[in-house]
């Protein structure tokens, strides 16, 4: 669990994605499917992954207040809607495997989209850290925040794997700015989403609150250390190799989760 937390925190801090997108598949691979419980635990850990990452991004002035303020209201509302959607009858009881399969399909889609973007010729990233982006479209930030919040609530992820490319495409941020502002938004999404999801798990899925806390506590130390390391490396390392390794893992984990869901 400490190692899962470390890997989740490192990827979360490095790529601005919260860490759940790594921790939930790893827990599924190690312990078998229990999607609702893993989501509840991972949403707690997401908060602890995002906070040190944001601190690192603030130090290099990569967080843009106007972008975060545009994202937060929509994120706060939509993460609650996402948790509500994850508790629909179609995902209850033995049908919770459908949520596992949906998570796996989501991973496949995000990995393939990121690979497509990696293979597309890009212009140089603008602007340097610390400067406001040129050609910005701040009004689109609420769209990113809403999608980020809903997906985060539905699947228990920080939502950054969607928010980062959308912040680049819709708002006009460079990659490192997008990672930093995604991480800042995840702090709120994780805090609200974890509260509602853990209440739902404790009241509707045959678990008590301690079950998710018992998973979250050993994940947190490694996640915090990994997040500090990863968010610092965001501003130091070239991201291409990391991106390919990360996407290869996503495709492998997605395949295993989909097979789990259908009993293979």
């Amino acid at each position: 669990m400490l190692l899962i937390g470390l890997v989740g925190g490192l990827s979360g801090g490095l790529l601005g994605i919260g860490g759940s997108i790594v921790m939930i598949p790893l827990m599924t691979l190690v312990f078998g499917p229990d999607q609702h419980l893993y989501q509840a635990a991972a949403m707690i850990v997401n908060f602890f992954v995002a906070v040190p990452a944001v601190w690192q991004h603030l130090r290099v002035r990569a967080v843009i207040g106007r972008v975060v303020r545009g994202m937060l209201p929509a994120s706060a509302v939509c993460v609650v809607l996402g948790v509500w959607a994850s508790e629909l009858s179609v995902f209850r009881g033995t049908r919770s495997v459908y949520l596992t399969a949906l998570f796996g399909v989501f991973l496949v889609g995000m990995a393939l989209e990121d690979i497509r973007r990696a293979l597309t010729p890009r212009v140089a990233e603008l602007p340097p850290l610390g400067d406001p982006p040129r050609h910005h479209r701040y009004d689109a930030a609420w769209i990113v925040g809403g999608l980020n919040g809903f997906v985060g609530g539905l699947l228990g992820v920080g939502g950054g794997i969607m928010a980062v490319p959308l912040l680049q495409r819709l708002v006009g941020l460079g990659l490192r700015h997008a990672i930093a502002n995604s991480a800042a938004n995840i702090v709120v999404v994780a805090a609200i989403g974890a509260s509602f999801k853990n209440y739902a798990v404790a009241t509707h899925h045959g678990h008590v609150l301690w079950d998710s806390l018992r998973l979250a506590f050993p994940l947190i130390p490694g996640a915090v250390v990994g997040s500090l390391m990863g968010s610092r490396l965001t501003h130091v390392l070239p991201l291409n190799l990391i991106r390919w390794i990360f996407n290869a893992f996503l495709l492998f984990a997605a395949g295993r989760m989909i097979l789990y869901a259908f009993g293979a």
Side-chain angles (χ1 to χ4, degrees), residues 119-199:
L119 295 174
T120 301
R122 296 174 296 165
V123 297
E125 177 179 326
L126 295 173
L129 284 174
D131 297 332
R134 296 198 290 265
H135 311 298
H136 55 265
R137 297 174 293 278
Y138 289 130
D139 291 344
W142 72 270
I143 301 173
V144 182
L147 291 171
N148 187 29
F150 185 79
V151 172
L154 177 65
L155 298 177
V157 298
I161 198 162
M162 284 186 63
V164 170
L166 287 175
L167 283 170
Q168 293 177 272
R169 185 170 300 175
L170 298 182
V171 182
L173 302 187
L175 177 58
R176 287 179 170 83
H177 276 106
I179 289 172
N181 287 275
S182 169
N185 190 65
I186 286 170
V187 172
V188 174
V189 171
I192 297 174
S195 300
F196 280 88
K197 187 63 181 180
N198 277 273
Y199 173 79

Side-chain angles (χ1 to χ4, degrees), residues 18 37 53 65 123 153 186 226 242 247:
L37 180 62
V123 297
I186 286 170
I242 298 164
N247 284 323

Side-chain angles (χ1 to χ4, degrees), residues 36-37 39-40 43 80 82-88 92 153 192-209 212:
H36 288 285
L37 180 62
Q39 288 185 195
M43 290 171 113
V80 177
V83 171
W84 170 80
S86 75
E87 294 299 318
L88 293 174
R92 292 278 187 90
I192 297 174
S195 300
F196 280 88
K197 187 63 181 180
N198 277 273
Y199 173 79
V201 166
T203 54
H204 299 300
H205 296 284
H207 291 291
V208 296
L209 180 60
S212 57

